[in-house]
Amino acid sequence: MTDPRSAFAHHFLFQLTFEGSARDWLEDHPDPQIWFQTAADLSLDLPGNAELLVWILRHPLCPEAIAADTFCRLEGWRYCGVTANSCDPEDPAVPVLLALVARAAGRGWHSFGLNDGGGHHRHEMLAACMAARQALTRRGGLPLIDPPVMLLAKVPRGPRPEPQKTWIFEGRELLTWRQDPRPH
């Protein structure tokens, strides 16, 4: 059975919820490339995905590129401009961003040479975070999250994550993968 990268999480990881744990599979396959693709493909609208993404972000082997890509994809700047009382308590992005910001304030992440390709996007995101935070504090509010300045201020170096892959599975076992051409 062939699964393109865009369907990787949707087909394989969610199938594991019935056959086993996606977290267990990812723990057994500590490949930053696989984790980057998995995190990018997870939809927080599906049950269990926010918890899986929090687990990835908290894992000692999680690369910085995943954290930066996740923060930008979830539009983290918006959460720098809201208070805990004003945000939706059911929003699945909240626990993900809280875990990300807590780790950013602590030990941070390893780079593993991955580059999320978001150098200029990181700086734009940091500026948006700071503006949202300033607007809220001027009104006397305390933001739900503080901007992860050290994460967003860095200019990513090293190779970008590999281009899309086609994954070939048999049941839960990853047999092989094929590199697809880098999209332009």
Side-chain angles (χ1 to χ4, degrees), residues 9-184:
H10 301 290
H11 176 76
F12 179 69
L13 289 176
F14 302 121
Q15 181 180 348
L16 283 178
T17 59
F18 301 105
E19 297 176 7
S21 167
R23 177 180 156 181
D24 291 343
W25 190 88
L26 289 172
E27 200 164 3
D28 291 342
H29 299 84
D31 180 340
Q33 294 287 343
I34 292 175
W35 288 17
F36 187 93
Q37 291 177 0
T38 301
D41 287 344
L42 287 175
S43 167
L44 296 185
D45 295 331
L46 297 172
N49 286 356
E51 293 83 2
L52 180 59
L53 192 50
V54 167
W55 177 83
I56 290 172
L57 290 168
R58 286 182 176 162
H59 197 282
L61 297 179
C62 177
E64 178 183 276
I66 291 175
D69 184 67
T70 299
F71 191 85
C72 292
R73 219 172 9 84
L74 295 179
E75 298 180 336
W77 69 271
R78 293 176 188 255
Y79 299 87
C80 295
V82 299
T83 64
N85 294 336
S86 66
C87 78
D88 178 5
E90 300 296 318
D91 184 347
V94 170
V96 173
L97 291 169
L98 288 173
L100 188 150
V101 169
R103 178 151 180 194
R107 67 183 185 276
W109 292 269
H110 298 288
S111 72
F112 286 112
L114 284 183
N115 177 345
D116 61 320
H120 65 285
H121 300 296
R122 288 187 187 195
H123 293 287
E124 291 169 4
M125 180 65 65
L126 180 56
C129 287
M130 299 307 277
R133 185 180 197 286
Q134 285 176 344
L136 180 66
T137 56
R138 271 189 294 234
R139 295 189 312 266
L142 183 62
L144 174 68
I145 62 170
D146 284 321
V149 175
M150 293 305 292
L151 174 66
L152 297 176
K154 291 181 181 178
V155 175
R157 303 205 187 291
R160 292 188 62 183
E162 294 176 14
Q164 296 181 348
K165 297 179 181 181
T166 299
W167 303 91
I168 302 169
F169 293 97
E170 185 173 297
R172 279 183 70 186
E173 186 176 346
L174 172 64
L175 298 178
T176 190
W177 56 271
R178 181 184 76 237
Q179 183 101 4
D180 297 333
R182 184 179 295 275
H184 298 296

